[in-house]
């Protein structure tokens, strides 16, 4: 009989981590609304980094403004795909810890911004790197960017192609 305890442990850990990450994202957005909305920017490092309130009615980098009819269904599909990969495809082994963590980060980032879009019709953004004039972003965006960067590094330098074959095979279903 197969021991399911690693899978259960991974699933429980992933779910708890996702909930905590989403709660942290929502908490930071709540603080941004309470302390930054209708206020001038709060400069933390002059000319480099500041807190600036923005209601983003689009997606990344302000693209697709006022297109909730597209953004919401796309987010639903993406999060369902992430859940499928996490629960059905990704091995619950130490070797694939980082891929599991990436799935949790992508999920938490997508859901954090999804909550805003559904509840308010916009996403609260408040982190601004003035030095490079980077678009204003939030904690959920950080999760997604970190997950994407880590995924690129792992696929490029850590995992071998044959180690990722489980993603395209029927094995494990």
């Amino acid at each position: 009989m197969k021991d399911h305890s690693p899978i259960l442990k991974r699933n429980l850990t992933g779910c708890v981590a996702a909930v905590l990450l989403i709660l942290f994202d929502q908490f930071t957005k709540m603080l941004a609304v309470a302390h930054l909305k209708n206020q001038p920017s709060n400069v933390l490092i002059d000319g480099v980094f500041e807190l600036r309130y923005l209601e983003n009615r689009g997606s990344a980098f302000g693209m697709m403004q006022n297109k909730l009819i597209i953004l919401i269904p796309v987010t639903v599909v993406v999060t369902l795909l992430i859940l499928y990969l996490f629960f059905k495809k990704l091995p619950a082994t130490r070797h694939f810890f980082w891929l599991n963590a990436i799935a949790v980060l992508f999920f938490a980032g997508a859901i954090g911004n999804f909550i805003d879009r559904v509840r308010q019709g916009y996403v609260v953004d408040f982190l601004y790197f003035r030095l490079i004039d980077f678009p204003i972003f939030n904690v959920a965006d950080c999760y997604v960017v970190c997950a994407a960067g880590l995924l690129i590094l792992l696929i490029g330098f850590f995992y071998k192609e044959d180690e990722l074959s489980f993603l395209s095979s029927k094995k494990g279903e």
Side-chain angles (χ1 to χ4, degrees), residues 10-159:
R10 185 273 317 263
N11 291 352
L12 181 60
T13 303
C15 289
V16 169
V19 167
L20 292 174
L21 289 167
I22 293 164
L23 288 173
F24 181 68
D25 169 67
Q26 292 298 298
F27 178 69
T28 60
K29 290 172 180 172
M30 181 185 73
L31 289 175
V33 170
H35 299 286
L36 299 173
K37 188 173 184 177
N38 301 319
Q39 301 294 319
S41 294
N42 185 350
V43 177
L44 299 178
I45 303 172
D46 191 34
V48 178
F49 184 71
E50 58 191 60
L51 302 177
R52 178 189 293 183
Y53 183 83
L54 175 73
E55 294 174 357
N56 182 354
R57 296 180 190 313
S59 64
F61 308 108
M63 296 183 298
M64 298 182 64
Q65 288 294 311
N66 300 307
K67 303 281 191 221
L68 288 178
I69 192 100
I70 297 169
L71 293 172
I72 289 175
V74 166
T75 304
V76 169
V77 169
V78 167
T79 55
L80 289 174
L81 176 63
I82 293 167
L83 290 172
Y84 171 75
L85 290 171
F86 183 79
F87 288 111
K88 294 289 189 184
K89 289 288 194 171
L90 290 175
T93 63
R94 173 176 245 137
H95 185 68
F96 291 102
F97 168 82
W98 289 110
L99 284 183
N100 284 283
I102 287 166
V104 169
L105 284 170
F106 273 130
F107 179 80
I111 294 298
N113 285 337
F114 180 77
I115 291 168
D116 285 10
R117 283 192 184 98
V118 169
R119 198 168 55 95
Q120 305 166 150
Y122 58 85
V123 173
V124 172
D125 288 336
F126 58 93
L127 302 168
Y128 178 53
F129 278 102
R130 175 178 285 284
L131 181 67
I132 57 173
D133 194 26
F134 195 79
I136 302 171
F137 59 101
N138 61 47
V139 172
D141 298 335
C142 292
Y143 300 158
V144 172
V145 169
C146 289
L150 190 54
L151 182 62
I152 290 167
L153 289 173
L154 289 173
I155 288 175
F157 300 105
F158 184 72
Y159 293 114

